Amino acid sequence: MPPQQDHGAFVIEGGQPVRGAVATAGSKNATLGVMAAALLVPEECRLTNVPRIADVDVMAGVLRSLGAKVEWDGEHELLIDAAGVNPSVPDRALAVSLRGSFAIMGALLARLGEASCPPPGGDVIGLRPVDVHLKGFAALGAQVMESEEWFELKASGLKGASIFNDYPSVLGTQNLMMAAATAEGVTTIVNAAAEPEVQGMAEMLRGMGAKVSGEGSSTVRIEGVKSLHGTEYAVIPDRLEAGTFAIAAAITGGEAEVRSARPDHLTSLIHKLREAGVSVETDGDTLRVKAAEKLKAVTIQALPYPGFATDLQAPMAVLLTQASGVSRVMERVFDNRLLYVDELLKMGATIDKQDNTTAIITGPTPLRGARVKALDVRAGAAVILAGLAATGETTITDIHHIDRGYERIDERLRSLGARIKRV
Ligand code: EPU
């Protein structure tokens, strides 16, 4: 792992309603994928609406270690010129610190006929195999070599194939779309992930001259083209950040406008918030959220898109600690993504973790300030939300996890009236 910078801690004085308007930043996970896609061409790509978050800096480091030029041009525009890319081996320490780094595999394989990456890291949320990626690469004609330290791919000319994903993996689907973009013939990816971040990858690839269709459904079709070119691409809004702001308003008795969002990417959250009694209205790219008089318990199941987003499971669970009755939270995407529950218990929540994937929340329970940890990026968002709703002072440590995925979250919450500071 690269040396971890000290990001300090967040101290929150809870009980202040979140009120006002906030603009959503670009999507972390969509950005990481399309940054890798820029490796497909020896020409410049311009990405706009890129969030200023730690994960983007690490991914930029990964691309630079491969020989790409990566430069900021203004606050949210990133220029990537991968003309100088070769060799195909990234800086190991940077690549292992980020799950998204594995997206370089599909792009490098297509461009250079070889690719390497260490087993990617990322959050501790359960097993995170890459078998879907590897099986797909092999189906396209790549030779796959695997040791404890590295995954390596080699191919002399990829051929379009019919690929069946055992699981609709988001990065797996993105990786295979990149690899297939210049393969000879047609590739179909069956049981593809439908997430907006996959749809974003399709748009980026089309901008580069690829022939991709079916994204957003369970079958993606790619007709291989001879060559691709540089493009300009605007990253989609971060649905997970928009959802976090919406829940911040709902849990503090507040009222907020979350702007520059894609409400159509948040259908599952909007339904569950309404079911819980929260008023959510959409108007173009804006979500208007008004807290419920009385929150009702609901059941949520985190599932692949368009199911309830696993990345909003922890934030939603915090809201449900304030709902009357018994709520069930089921995590069906990752096998260990309820670790944050222990942090919420320190703050007075009543949550019975039945196993690593099912939690029963009984509410409402008043939350009180405590010293808690941000265990990963979304568990970090969850303890911020709990701190905003709690009485007294909450100190959140390990906030480098939060800075991985949320741009200046403290400043932006302060602009909505929250009392949160970085110390
Ligand atoms: N899986 C397999 N085989 C594979 C790949 C995945 O079995 O080859 C399983 C995993 O074990 C897991 C499930 O499939 O149980 C989902 O994994 P997926 O591959 O879809 O997730 P990912 O692509 O590694 C991305 C996001 C995650 C987000 C998930 C699900 C990036 C960099 N990460 O991960 O984001 O939770 O999709 O939507 O795009 C986050 O932002 O906090 C985060 C963890």
Side-chain angles (χ1 to χ4, degrees):
M1 297 277 280
Q4 193 61 69
Q5 267 179 288
D6 183 12
H7 290 227
F10 286 142
V11 175
I12 302 175
E13 195 62 51
Q16 200 67 22
V18 158
R19 279 188 206 287
V22 66
T24 312
S27 156
K28 164 175 90 78
N29 292 337
T31 299
L32 299 177
V34 296
M35 285 176 76
L39 294 173
L40 282 163
V41 288
E43 286 176 19
E44 188 173 272
C45 290
R46 177 184 287 270
L47 304 179
T48 62
N49 200 32
V50 177
R52 291 306 281 256
I53 51 174
D55 269 10
V56 168
D57 290 333
V58 177
M59 190 67 177
V62 170
L63 300 193
R64 287 190 191 108
S65 74
L66 292 162
K69 278 195 221 148
V70 185
E71 278 166 25
W72 288 102
D73 183 26
E75 188 54 21
H76 294 110
E77 299 204 4
L78 201 56
L79 295 177
I80 304 178
D81 183 345
V85 166
N86 208 355
S88 59
V89 183
D91 179 281
R92 187 184 159 79
L94 290 173
V96 293
S97 69
L98 184 74
R99 179 81 181 169
S101 64
F102 209 67
I104 65 173
M105 291 294 261
L108 291 176
L109 180 67
R111 164 101 180 271
L112 305 175
E114 59 174 57
S116 313
C117 194
D123 298 326
V124 181
I125 52 185
L127 280 180
R128 299 185 77 178
V130 287
D131 55 300
V132 167
H133 310 232
L134 301 180
K135 276 171 78 174
F137 293 138
L140 293 169
Q143 199 189 336
V144 179
M145 288 144 295
E146 188 176 338
S147 70
E148 252 176 51
E149 302 277 295
W150 290 95
F151 289 101
E152 275 179 77
L153 306 173
K154 278 206 165 42
S156 49
L158 297 171
K159 284 215 163 53
S162 167
I163 299 174
F164 170 72
N165 287 345
D166 288 324
Y167 189 94
S169 160
V170 175
L171 269 172
T173 303
Q174 292 182 325
N175 243 336
L176 298 175
M177 288 162 72
M178 288 186 278
T182 51
E184 191 191 322
V186 172
T187 297
T188 47
I189 308 174
V190 177
N191 202 21
E195 269 71 1
E197 295 74 25
V198 171
Q199 301 174 33
M201 172 63 81
E203 263 178 63
M204 167 84 180
L205 292 176
R206 270 197 295 272
M208 300 175 89
K211 291 191 175 159
V212 184
S213 57
E215 77 277 6
S217 79
S218 59
T219 303
V220 174
R221 182 178 189 277
I222 302 119
E223 195 182 324
V225 294
K226 285 250 174 322
S227 65
L228 299 170
H229 51 75
T231 190
E232 175 168 334
Y233 172 73
V235 174
I236 55 171
D238 197 309
R239 60 195 171 109
L240 312 168
E241 190 195 80
T244 304
F245 283 125
I247 294 172
I251 200 171
T252 55
E255 194 169 347
E257 264 191 29
V258 185
R259 296 182 179 158
S260 312
R262 282 283 299 262
D264 57 322
H265 291 167
L266 283 158
T267 307
S268 56
L269 177 73
I270 293 169
H271 274 269
K272 296 314 288 193
L273 285 175
R274 286 181 181 151
E275 195 182 321
V278 178
S279 154
V280 186
E281 282 169 30
T282 65
D283 180 7
D285 67 358
T286 298
L287 289 176
R288 282 198 196 91
V289 184
K290 188 166 177 232
E293 290 289 319
K294 190 176 170 200
L295 272 172
K296 292 184 285 246
V298 299
T299 291
I300 59 165
Q301 284 200 53
L303 287 167
Y305 190 83
F308 193 88
T310 168
D311 297 312
L312 286 170
Q313 178 260 107
M316 187 71 183
V318 181
L319 180 68
L320 295 177
T321 66
Q322 303 308 302
S324 296
V326 177
S327 295
R328 283 165 68 85
V329 172
M330 288 170 275
E331 170 61 50
R332 308 278 195 215
V333 176
F334 291 103
D335 56 19
N336 198 14
R337 211 176 196 184
L338 296 177
L339 292 173
Y340 67 87
V341 164
D342 288 342
E343 303 308 296
L344 298 184
L345 294 178
K346 291 179 197 162
M347 300 180 73
T350 303
I351 307 179
D352 178 17
K353 211 160 87 171
Q354 305 214 306
D355 52 40
N356 288 342
T357 56
T358 308
I360 307 292
I361 302 176
T362 307
T365 42
L367 298 176
R368 49 177 190 271
R371 190 178 176 84
V372 290
K373 267 190 190 168
L375 295 170
D376 64 57
V377 54
R378 308 303 165 194
V383 285
I384 289 183
L385 293 167
L388 295 176
T391 49
E393 189 177 280
T394 296
T395 299
I396 305 177
T397 64
D398 294 42
I399 61 170
H400 57 272
H401 286 296
I402 299 171
D403 290 333
R404 286 184 52 191
Y406 293 87
E407 179 175 317
R408 295 178 295 104
I409 186 80
D410 46 333
E411 275 175 57
R412 291 157 76 214
L413 283 169
R414 267 201 307 278
S415 77
L416 294 172
R419 285 182 295 207
I420 172 169
K421 59 184 188 220
R422 190 184 287 262
V423 295

